[in-house]
Amino acid sequence: MSNNASPQKSTDLHIGAAVPGCQKKDPILVADHIKKTFGGLTAVDVEHLEVPKNAITALIGPNGAGKTTLFNLLTGFDTPDTGTWSLMGNSLSGVPSFKVAKLGQVRTFQLTKALGLLTVLENMKLGAKDQKGENLLTALVPAIWRKQDKEIEVKALELLSRFKLDAKKDDFAASLSGGQRKLLEMARALMTDPVLVMLDEPMAGVNPALTQSLLDHVLDLKKQGMTVLFVEHDMHMVRHIADWVVVMAEGKIVAEGPPDTVMKEQAVIDAYLGSHQDTDLGEVTGRIKIIKDGGQA
Amino acid sequence: MDWGSILNNTLQGLLTPTTLAFSLAALGLAMHFGFAGLLNFGIAGFMAIGGYGYAIAVLTFGLPWWAGMLFGIVGSIIFALILGIPTLRLRGDYLAIVTIASAEIIRLLFLTTAFTDVTGSADGLFGFNTRTDGSGFQNANPLPAGSYGAGPFTYNEQTLWVLIFGIIMLVVGVVLLWALMRSPWGRVIKGIREDEDAIRALGKNVFAYKMQALVIGGVYGAMGGIVYATFANVSPGVFVTSLTFFIWTSLLLGGAATILGPVIGSILFWTLQAFLTNVLSEVAISGILPVSTTQASTLRFVLVGVGLMLLVIYRPQGIFGDKRELTFVK
């Protein structure tokens, strides 16, 4: 299952120069003038952002850059002060979060949300969309939903075995380890047949061995035709799998581009190291080494 | 001490109209708290609306008994909607505060003298089960007059009719709740209890589901109040906050996230109450405890309180709950 060979990167995604807010050849998500303030603090102020289709886009930036807030805004979990955004041409402005998910834009959470007192299989089955038995009245007539429920179960089991969780299917999700919960949350999100998967720090708190398998799963999503947008602090992972990198700092997008070039940009270095001018770039490379050794930064 | 009469009275507690009424209300609370995670501390308010709705519809509007009961149920649905629209978007603990307050508002509305003509104020309402025009609940009693059963389970035709009606309602209620909770609908409801944001992120309309759960549980509460009203007067003294806590105790005793738990919990609770009432008064009379009989009968409520605390601390999942399913431990 190991997929250590360098993954196939999607290139040539943008039109014109790779500058913040640049146009993409085939954007899936387009956002304009998204602004969110908490009191006097401007958490997010994004002029223009396009997320390329069928590619893996990383959203990076220092703590407090507004990455998670932007995630919440784009998925309808929070409402911006101003701004419009659309998924494949469908406007998502002001659309409640559950409808955003129905349209195929599904998210995971930074703090994993496994449904503890439901079994792993129940967690998975909850993800499936358009279930006939989820209506109050039809729920009372098993004949209406039983067949569909069986199909959902087959699909869930297939996904669980792909994520190596099939042996745990009858256990409460609360009994899973932190890393297994991350896997479960990702697998559950896939049950919704998404077009755009938004992962909020999928690697946070996951050990290196599991990180590798999570990376493979993220790459698999692209292979299956999905688009991935993820927030991550781990530069190693970003460089390894991302086709495109968007860098945020203080609520704004400060740089965009393919991972190899964007990491060298002055704005990115400033954003990450701005408050520690005395420590040099060596700190960053040192961190990568620590992860390779098996520790956690 | 007369153990024979204590045993007899305790056994009577196993099957009384009260037990049935409170089992139904506990089922409603299981829907609210056990399955949907809605902290409802106002179940007495739902019961009051059911009971009073039935009584008022019969006495004031002259409806037949079955239409009166439907009136009570519709009332509880409206109450649930009014309660839910502003509060269900808030965090769970706010619902607890709002429900406990609204149940008191309901009770005080029935108590105030402003509506004495309709509500009977502090006297409550009575005489709605037997009507001179033959439209009352007891008028519909198919049982001939007489004495039924044996031993502690001896009932006259009126009580037996109430019991039969109550058992039918309880069985229908249990079956419906079981059918709902094993369905995909029930799965969403349980998911919301665990983490509503996660369910939202999976494309489910969490607000609508919570509202449905609130309404359904409220209807069960109202049915509890209605079954209670088929054999007793409804008065503001019945639907007090402590009633809410008795039902909570019954629910937690049986197991909050179970179907049969609330029913068995209610039966155990009321049987235990009957036992304590009898034992404590006997103990007081025979001078073993230096208290008066009045004090002895209040003592059982102290013991109920202690019991509730021990239950929540040492067996939060109740008798029937899954050991792994420690509702309070997260």
Side-chain angles (χ1 to χ4, degrees), chain A:
Chain A
M1 151 115 207
S2 193
N3 189 4
N4 277 325
S6 218
Q8 191 66 46
K9 295 264 184 160
S10 304
T11 51
D12 198 23
L13 296 164
H14 59 292
I15 301 169
V19 293
C22 72
Q23 266 191 299
K24 306 297 179 310
K25 282 187 174 151
D26 188 9
I28 186 165
L29 183 76
V30 182
D32 279 297
H33 313 293
I34 302 228
K35 191 168 180 175
K36 175 76 183 176
T37 51
F38 295 111
L41 173 85
T42 304
V44 170
D45 185 6
V46 170
E47 212 36 57
H48 186 77
L49 173 67
E50 292 186 9
V51 176
K53 196 173 180 178
N54 196 17
I56 300 174
T57 304
L59 184 59
I60 64 170
N63 293 325
K67 307 180 294 289
T68 296
T69 309
L70 181 62
F71 252 52
N72 287 342
L73 296 174
L74 293 178
T75 49
F77 276 81
D78 205 345
T79 36
D81 305 339
T82 64
T84 54
W85 65 103
S86 60
L87 177 78
M88 297 184 298
N90 301 315
S91 174
L92 291 183
S93 326
V95 174
S97 48
F98 76 93
K99 282 190 187 153
V100 171
K102 272 189 181 167
L103 286 167
Q105 180 181 328
V106 70
R107 71 168 296 179
T108 65
F109 294 87
Q110 189 173 351
L111 298 170
T112 323
K113 293 186 184 294
L115 307 165
L117 297 186
L118 264 59
T119 65
V120 169
L121 186 60
E122 281 176 318
N123 262 273
M124 292 295 288
K125 285 165 103 177
L126 259 174
K129 284 199 289 194
D130 303 320
Q131 292 191 44
K132 291 173 191 144
E134 287 185 352
N135 180 294
L136 181 58
L137 296 176
T138 49
L140 291 170
V141 191
I144 296 176
W145 49 262
R146 188 158 280 150
K147 185 165 164 278
Q148 190 194 25
D149 206 53
K150 284 268 183 302
E151 290 162 11
I152 290 169
E153 189 163 326
V154 170
K155 184 178 165 190
L157 289 173
E158 193 245 324
L159 265 171
L160 280 178
S161 64
R162 191 135 65 81
F163 280 77
K164 302 250 186 299
L165 285 171
D166 43 343
K168 296 260 180 197
K169 71 181 171 73
D170 295 322
D171 291 0
F172 275 148
S175 70
L176 297 182
S177 74
Q180 286 170 327
R181 287 182 205 194
K182 288 258 174 207
L183 285 171
L184 175 61
E185 199 184 22
M186 200 189 287
R188 193 177 63 199
L190 296 185
M191 285 294 291
T192 65
D193 294 321
V195 288
L196 173 60
V197 186
M198 298 176 62
L199 307 169
D200 198 348
E201 300 209 13
M203 302 300 155
V206 173
N207 73 51
L210 199 54
T211 301
Q212 187 54 53
S213 101
L214 267 168
L215 286 180
D216 291 338
H217 288 306
V218 175
L219 288 167
D220 264 357
L221 301 185
K222 190 175 106 178
K223 264 185 225 153
Q224 288 163 26
M226 287 174 240
T227 306
V228 180
L229 176 66
F230 72 97
V231 169
E232 191 51 66
H233 278 299
D234 185 339
M235 289 308 125
H236 181 61
M237 167 179 175
V238 171
R239 206 165 294 171
H240 187 62
I241 67 167
D243 303 312
W244 192 260
V245 178
V246 176
V247 188
M248 278 184 84
E250 290 166 13
K252 291 190 168 61
I253 294 176
V254 293
E256 266 193 64
D260 294 333
T261 52
V262 83
M263 305 269 188
K264 297 191 182 84
E265 277 189 41
Q266 192 58 42
V268 180
I269 296 163
D270 282 352
Y272 264 97
L273 301 167
S275 53
H276 301 285
Q277 291 291 356
D278 49 335
T279 49
D280 67 1
L281 202 58
E283 189 76 28
V284 177
T285 46
R287 188 165 168 269
I288 292 164
K289 196 155 167 280
I290 290 164
I291 286 166
K292 273 182 180 162
D293 289 344
Q296 190 64 49

Side-chain angles (χ1 to χ4, degrees), chain B residues 248-260:
Chain B
W248 269 93
T249 312
S250 315
L251 173 73
L252 296 173
L253 188 62
T258 59
I259 305 285
L260 284 177

